[in-house]
Amino acid sequence: MSNVEILPLLLDLLQDMALAAVPAAGFAMVFNVPVRVLKYCALFGALAHGMRFLMMRAGMPIEWGTLIAATAVSFAGVWLARRLRAHPKAFTVAAMIPMIPGVSFFTTIIALHQLGTRGFDAELFSVALTNGLRTFFIIGAIAIGLAMPGLLLYRRRPVV
Amino acid sequence: MSEKTPESNIPPRAPLTLQEHRAATDLCLQTGILLMQHGVESAFVESITRRTGFALELDRVDVAIMANAITVTSYAGPHSMTRVRRNEDRGINMHVAMEVQRAALAFESGEIDRAEFEKCVRSVKAFRYPRWLVVLAIGLSCACFARLAGADWTGCVFAFAASAAAMVARQVFAHFHFNPIVGFFAAAFVATSICAQALLQSIGTTPRLAMAASVLLLVPGFPLINGVSDMVKGYVNTGISRIALAMLMALATCAGIVLAMSAWGTWGWLS
């Protein structure tokens, strides 16, 4: 890849990571994550979203990209959890918030509601099904990615 | 009961009296319930509760977690004791969760003594960010979501204003102890109504993206992730109840969105 192609990609990546860091920290504040841990929420949120952005650019499906990004962040979370002596979930969940497909989730429900009021419509049904399945798989990928250290390494012993 | 450790130079400890047994069980329950009330996943609640029990010199602790109660059975010598405590949801608060976890871990490893641990568990004060700061942070977050989805700057401003207003609505309803379902419904109505103005007046090029982003503060992400994690780790009961509650929240939010769109006669979603 030449420099001409790499630079715009890098800029896109930086923008993506910066835009993901803000909601990760913002939602961490709704979850009342302590002040000194907020920066890790922002960092992990940016890392996760940036990783997924790169993998999707490389042509990977969004669910697999989410799974890998969530797995990476949860391993980083284990490292931090041992330093802070707190469960990794306390800060990794907030970092996952930018990856949650909220628009798809609400689109599914609104489409289902419309199916109820307008009657069956193939296009509407397809919208509901596609968005619903995407939501389902991405949330599953996030939760399983976050559980990865426990599934792979910490099978019979606690993380902290 | 035999000692848990193989080292024989530890003198066999005196059996707990009934008062001591009761106090230890109660402290276990308090630790568990605090974690549960503030949104920690079931596997970790059970593990911390059990480990606290061992640190309190109980011989064995069994923990059963239900959707809105926790049961602890503790064994000391020939006696056992079962306690149930109702769980009232206090909202997600990772600060309380982290404080309790750290105290329990420090007590387990012997860094603090029992009195200190008990003081920490009994008197932990829930830290909350100032409301205006949360409103600002959520507004910025939703503006970033709008930008990530490709909205223009006008769209981002609308997403900021709408989601900040929605957060205020959510806080007001929570302050008056409304069921969160009511609060989410009202917040979604407020956010969509504000963004509907952009759509009606054709302000900016991407009012639809702003409308979608402005309700993202109402996605129940934490219960959804916790629910799936619970089920992955074998706590299907609590997992299902968390997901069911999250679904109800999402339904209430969508009801608010649809009502606002019908009221303003403009359809920003699904078109």
Side-chain angles (χ1 to χ4, degrees):
Chain A
M1 204 186 277
S2 69
N3 284 335
V4 189
E5 284 168 328
I6 278 189
L7 195 63
L9 180 70
L10 209 61
L11 284 177
D12 281 358
L13 176 67
L14 279 179
Q15 189 196 13
D16 183 87
M17 289 174 74
L19 285 176
V22 177
F27 278 84
M29 286 167 70
V30 178
F31 305 148
N32 296 299
V33 174
V35 183
R36 67 202 147 81
V37 191
L38 270 186
K39 54 180 181 291
Y40 297 109
C41 291
L43 177 71
F44 287 171
L47 278 179
H49 209 273
M51 276 179 75
R52 187 174 82 164
F53 172 82
L54 278 184
M55 284 185 274
M56 280 168 67
R57 274 289 171 91
M60 192 180 266
I62 188 166
E63 299 86 2
W64 290 103
T66 308
L67 181 67
I68 295 172
T71 308
V73 163
S74 73
F75 275 103
V78 169
W79 166 79
L80 184 63
R82 302 186 140 227
R83 280 188 48 193
L84 295 173
R85 306 205 60 185
H87 195 57
K89 275 276 167 62
F91 39 87
T92 47
V93 173
M96 294 296 116
I97 294 291
M99 298 208 293
I100 289 184
V103 176
S104 293
F105 190 24
F106 289 153
T107 305
T108 311
I109 301 175
I110 294 175
L112 286 175
H113 169 254
Q114 285 303 298
L115 277 172
T117 49
R118 284 196 225 160
F120 182 81
D121 174 77
E123 198 190 333
L124 209 52
F125 187 70
S126 137
V127 169
L129 197 62
T130 323
N131 282 287
L133 288 175
R134 185 186 301 150
T135 312
F136 178 79
F137 283 119
I138 294 181
I139 292 191
I142 291 175
I144 292 175
L146 285 186
M148 255 337 162
L151 295 174
L152 297 181
L153 294 183
Y154 297 87
R155 292 188 299 272
R156 306 287 313 251
R157 60 200 166 106
V159 172
V160 282
Chain B
M1 285 297 279
S2 61
E3 294 126 353
K4 284 193 298 292
T5 45
E7 299 141 62
S8 51
N9 54 352
I10 297 177
R13 57 183 189 234
L16 297 180
T17 64
L18 187 61
Q19 273 84 4
E20 284 169 346
H21 189 180
R22 191 175 287 153
T25 311
D26 197 49
L27 197 49
C28 262
L29 262 182
Q30 183 66 24
T31 313
I33 201 83
L34 270 175
L35 293 175
M36 236 179 129
Q37 279 171 340
H38 296 96
V40 176
E41 61 169 19
S42 303
F44 197 61
V45 174
E46 172 163 6
S47 120
I48 286 286
T49 309
R50 184 184 292 129
R51 285 159 66 183
T52 305
F54 286 136
L56 288 166
E57 301 185 358
L58 294 166
D59 295 323
R60 180 176 158 185
V61 178
D62 283 320
V63 184
I65 296 174
M66 288 160 275
N68 37 25
I70 181 170
T71 312
V72 169
T73 295
S74 63
Y75 299 80
H79 302 292
S80 70
M81 184 180 288
T82 300
R83 288 277 167 104
V84 181
R85 189 165 299 174
R86 282 285 297 179
N87 169 32
E88 48 173 273
D89 195 12
R90 296 257 174 95
I92 298 155
N93 194 318
M94 286 300 120
H95 167 257
V96 175
M98 283 179 80
E99 286 300 309
V100 173
Q101 286 166 27
R102 288 160 67 93
L105 293 176
F107 176 52
E108 187 186 40
S109 61
E111 289 162 37
I112 59 174
D113 62 7
R114 179 176 168 157
E116 244 174 299
F117 172 62
E118 185 151 7
K119 185 165 158 267
C120 178
V121 168
R122 302 265 179 219
S123 65
V124 59
K125 276 260 182 299
F127 161 80
R128 287 186 192 286
Y129 284 95
R131 289 185 185 175
W132 61 269
L133 194 61
V134 175
V135 168
L136 202 67
I138 284 300
L140 281 176
S141 301
C142 287
C144 283
F145 279 136
R147 189 74 189 155
L148 271 177
D152 60 3
W153 290 111
T154 325
C156 290
V157 170
F158 265 94
F160 175 86
S163 55
M167 194 66 208
V168 171
R170 199 175 135 182
Q171 287 173 346
V172 167
F173 275 80
H175 180 74
F176 289 107
H177 301 289
F178 277 93
N179 189 314
I181 292 173
V182 181
F184 273 50
F185 172 81
F189 183 85
V190 168
T192 308
S193 294
I194 292 176
C195 285
Q197 307 313 314
L199 202 59
L200 282 173
Q201 314 292 334
S202 312
I203 307 168
T205 50
T206 53
R208 287 172 203 282
L209 291 174
M211 193 184 261
S214 68
V215 287
L216 288 181
L217 75 153
L218 303 169
V219 178
F222 212 103
L224 278 177
I225 294 180
N226 255 355
V228 181
S229 311
D230 271 4
M231 289 206 263
V232 169
K233 291 169 187 171
Y235 298 82
V236 181
N237 267 328
T238 52
I240 288 176
S241 78
R242 282 187 213 270
I243 288 184
L245 206 60
M247 283 297 183
L248 267 182
M249 301 286 193
L251 275 176
T253 307
C254 286
I257 297 172
V258 169
L259 182 69
M261 290 195 300
S262 314
W264 293 101
T266 176
W267 206 257
W269 290 69
L270 293 180
S271 49

